[in-house]
Amino acid sequence: MSEIIRAPKGLAGVITDDTTISKVMPSTNSLTYSGYAVQDLAEHTSFEEVAYLMVNGELPNAEQLDEFNAKEKQYRSIHEDVKKAIRLFPKEAHPMDFLRTGVSFLGMLDDRVWDNSSETNMDKYIRLLAKIPTIAAYSYRHSIGEDFIDPVASLSFSENFFNMCFGQVPAEAVVKAFDVSLILYAEHSFNASTFTTRVITSTTSDMYSAICGGIGALKGPLHGGANEMVMHMMKEIDDPSKAKEWMLDALANKKKVMGFGHRVYRSGDSRVPTMHKYAQKMAEYTGETKWMDMYEALKNTMLEEKGIYPNLDFPAGPAYYMMGFPIDFFTPIFVMARITGWCAHIMEQTANNRIIRPLSAYTGVAQREVRPLEQR
Ligand code: COA
């Protein structure tokens, strides 16, 4: 080690490694996955195509997509023992804890858990991609005391998730809005949960352990948990005509308002215009304009007062609510999408690894002698 560098708190503004997976460009409020603009992917591809792109660096051709989809569909069901475990979960526990425990169980059932070769990791990735929605949907059914609905191979990734949760596939507009949200949530460079997965991977631990860590990091309201907090906030305000006053009061009391601000984007989140468009479509579809009216009032007041822009969680929260999902399942949906980015980063870290091990500056008491118990 040559020089010791003091990094800013929260590693703000620090580049810790190279990546080819995605590029966040705050100066132009843009985001690309392997060079493709995220809003183009959202409009012109399916989530399955993006899931392929994330770990292969190229969009699939028809044959490659068929092969990828066939594997994903084949892996959707989960082991009987995981089903039994879900039935034992406390119904009132948070669904992110269901998911973290479910993924941990999948790891214990995989006899290749220690095999971090790229071939095996690619297979583990498709398994996780396929099984996480099943764990999330079964957990939802368990939490409301209903029987599980098994995955259906003839349905797309998003259609199958709706079917496993609600026993039916909604209108195309709803499925498309959901698919778009997954594409937008798929990847975002070295955010807190992705960095967590890379730290765990850097110790040469296994993919399941890294994903459990990622789920733990994403759960926090300063990160993925914000989409749930946005909807709790909107429900608390309840009336769009009260939104401005609510925001002024929150700012006067120096509250952090969920769904606003971003470590990297300072003048707008690249993903918000697309998600806003699809949240608006959900309002048109449901005929319920209340949440998007409130969205406008909160956004405008925040911009006027503080110049702080909404992040992706702000339109995603009401969009998921209008699709019929319970609020505490919003962050598990985020996991269903971000598993793609996490696994791509896990494989990238594995391919060119050095253990991530920073230093700390000690600010505790000076070195001292241990006195025997009777003298203390
Ligand atoms: N509500 C109110 N004020 C906010 C704010 C918010 N959501 N986000 C940032 N600010 C203010 C801070 O209070 C700070 O003001 P100050 O300089 O007067 O102290 C300034 O903007 C800079 O914010 P800071 O907390 O230093 O930014 P950060 O990069 O450390 O944190 C977030 C980024 C995302 C964690 C932060 O904006 C936040 O907590 N947002 C709400 C949670 C959220 O939506 N998370 C999802 C992220 S995608």
Side-chain angles (χ1 to χ4, degrees), residues 58-104:
E58 294 294 340
L59 281 168
N61 61 29
E63 197 183 318
Q64 289 162 331
L65 184 62
D66 282 350
E67 197 189 320
F68 184 78
N69 284 346
K71 268 196 182 168
E72 185 270 317
K73 287 173 176 191
Q74 177 200 335
Y75 289 153
R76 283 178 186 172
S77 55
I78 55 174
H79 196 285
E80 273 309 313
D81 289 346
V82 186
K83 290 191 193 175
K84 275 190 213 154
I86 293 173
R87 290 194 183 97
L88 294 174
F89 291 167
K91 284 195 169 69
E92 59 289 346
H94 193 280
M96 286 295 271
D97 298 343
F98 291 163
L99 216 48
R100 195 192 57 229
T101 309
V103 170
S104 192

Side-chain angles (χ1 to χ4, degrees), residues 70-220:
K71 268 196 182 168
E72 185 270 317
K73 287 173 176 191
Q74 177 200 335
Y75 289 153
R76 283 178 186 172
S77 55
I78 55 174
H79 196 285
E80 273 309 313
D81 289 346
V82 186
K83 290 191 193 175
K84 275 190 213 154
I86 293 173
R87 290 194 183 97
L88 294 174
F89 291 167
K91 284 195 169 69
E92 59 289 346
H94 193 280
M96 286 295 271
D97 298 343
F98 291 163
L99 216 48
R100 195 192 57 229
T101 309
V103 170
S104 192
F105 206 142
L106 293 182
M108 289 190 284
L109 291 168
D110 191 342
D111 56 9
R112 305 156 313 159
V113 68
W114 280 109
D115 181 351
N116 289 327
S117 65
S118 50
E119 204 182 21
T120 306
N121 267 350
M122 191 66 87
D123 188 65
K124 287 180 190 169
Y125 162 58
I126 304 175
R127 283 173 192 263
L128 282 162
L129 177 71
K131 292 179 195 299
I132 281 177
T134 313
I135 297 173
Y138 283 4
S139 302
Y140 166 60
R141 303 288 298 177
H142 170 67
S143 73
I144 57 168
E146 296 284 349
D147 289 341
F148 299 161
I149 299 171
D150 290 333
V152 175
S154 59
L155 299 177
S156 73
F157 184 90
S158 293
E159 288 169 345
N160 176 56
F161 184 63
F162 277 104
N163 194 57
M164 288 191 297
C165 289
F166 306 125
Q168 59 184 42
V169 178
E172 218 181 304
V174 181
V175 177
K176 175 65 185 171
F178 184 75
D179 217 64
V180 164
S181 79
L182 297 183
I183 293 172
L184 298 175
Y185 266 140
E187 158 61 8
H188 214 211
S189 78
F190 280 23
N191 56 85
S193 58
T194 301
F195 193 62
T196 303
T197 66
R198 290 191 76 125
V199 170
I200 295 172
T201 302
S202 82
T203 70
T204 65
S205 182
D206 66 286
M207 186 179 267
Y208 298 97
S209 301
I211 298 303
C212 287
I215 293 171
L218 192 72
K219 182 182 169 189

